Amino acid sequence: MDQEFKKNRERKFFEKKALPVRRVAKVTKGGKRLRFSTVVVVGDKEGSIGVALGRGADVKSAVEQGERLAEKKMKKIQLVGDTIPHEIVCKYGAAKVLLRPARPGTGVIAGSSVRTVLELTGIDNVYGKILGSPEANANAYCTFKALQSLRKERVLKKMSNMRDRISLKEEMDKEKKMKEDKRRK
């Protein structure tokens, strides 16, 4: 029992959000067979994100499978402070997403599943625009793919204001931590 406790403590706990659940019916000779599918987004709000599709006989099993698969597919995203390093347009199937860095204090300006993925990644200031299909699941995958293709090093070499942004984010995190410690005492 002691080993089980240690294993659970070492495992990170992630925030999870399920996108709208879809009912899928397979028509067979005996009638319709109903199943459920949903895309689950898992993130730690510190730059790691995972997106996966879960399917099951009921909603709970579909969400659990999606969580398990999303945790397996988690990737670390290259961020610059509280935003993305550069503008990117990504296409995944019929979905097309534009992500653009924003000034501090802007917040996450994006719609539906793009907002969910960006917030669970831990990005605080970014513009997101859905250019292709309005399908929520495809847009979540497209945003995940776009975040994976970001490259930080080449941008930091060229832009001094992005380097300043990183130091500003670190200072804000220190202040937030100090306030939190004072509140706990």
Side-chain angles (χ1 to χ4, degrees), residues 11 57 74 114 158:
R11 186 171 175 236
M74 281 193 94
V114 176
K158 294 180 180 178

Side-chain angles (χ1 to χ4, degrees), residues 112-170:
S112 71
S113 56
V114 176
R115 172 183 285 276
T116 304
V117 173
L118 293 172
E119 285 178 347
L120 289 179
T121 305
I123 300 172
D124 295 334
N125 301 304
V126 68
Y127 296 111
K129 178 74 178 152
I130 297 170
L131 301 172
S133 168
E135 171 60 34
N137 296 350
N139 287 322
Y141 277 113
C142 187
T143 306
F144 181 54
K145 184 180 170 191
L147 290 174
Q148 285 178 347
S149 61
L150 292 172
R151 295 295 170 251
K152 176 168 89 172
E153 290 81 21
R154 67 184 178 87
V155 174
L156 285 178
K157 288 177 186 174
K158 294 180 180 178
M159 297 180 156
S160 62
N161 62 345
M162 287 294 189
R163 287 191 294 264
D164 298 339
R165 187 85 166 259
I166 292 173
S167 60
L168 179 69
K169 170 77 170 156
E170 290 169 356

Side-chain angles (χ1 to χ4, degrees), residues 12-25:
K12 273 192 170 179
F13 291 98
F14 304 109
E15 287 194 37
K16 303 162 180 122
K17 279 193 181 174
L19 297 179
V21 178
R22 295 189 293 184
R23 274 181 37 195
V24 181

Side-chain angles (χ1 to χ4, degrees), residues 21-118:
V21 178
R22 295 189 293 184
R23 274 181 37 195
V24 181
K26 179 180 180 183
V27 180
T28 61
K29 188 167 124 181
K32 293 181 180 176
R33 195 176 115 214
L34 283 177
R35 294 183 54 100
F36 297 90
S37 74
T38 183
V39 170
V40 179
V41 182
V42 176
D44 65 355
K45 293 198 171 189
E46 294 177 8
S48 295
I49 190 78
V51 178
L53 176 70
R55 294 181 287 221
D58 57 15
V59 175
K60 186 178 179 191
S61 63
V63 171
E64 286 175 356
Q65 182 189 27
E67 288 175 5
R68 204 171 45 252
L69 292 173
E71 284 182 15
K72 275 185 178 180
K73 294 180 180 182
M74 281 193 94
K75 301 284 184 193
K76 186 75 175 164
I77 305 302
Q78 295 185 8
L79 302 177
V80 176
D82 59 352
T83 188
I84 57 176
H86 55 87
E87 183 177 318
I88 188 163
V89 176
C90 186
K91 189 167 178 359
Y92 181 85
K96 191 174 181 182
V97 172
L98 164 73
L99 300 176
R100 183 179 292 161
R103 294 178 183 266
T106 305
V108 178
I109 298 174
S112 71
S113 56
V114 176
R115 172 183 285 276
T116 304
V117 173
L118 293 172

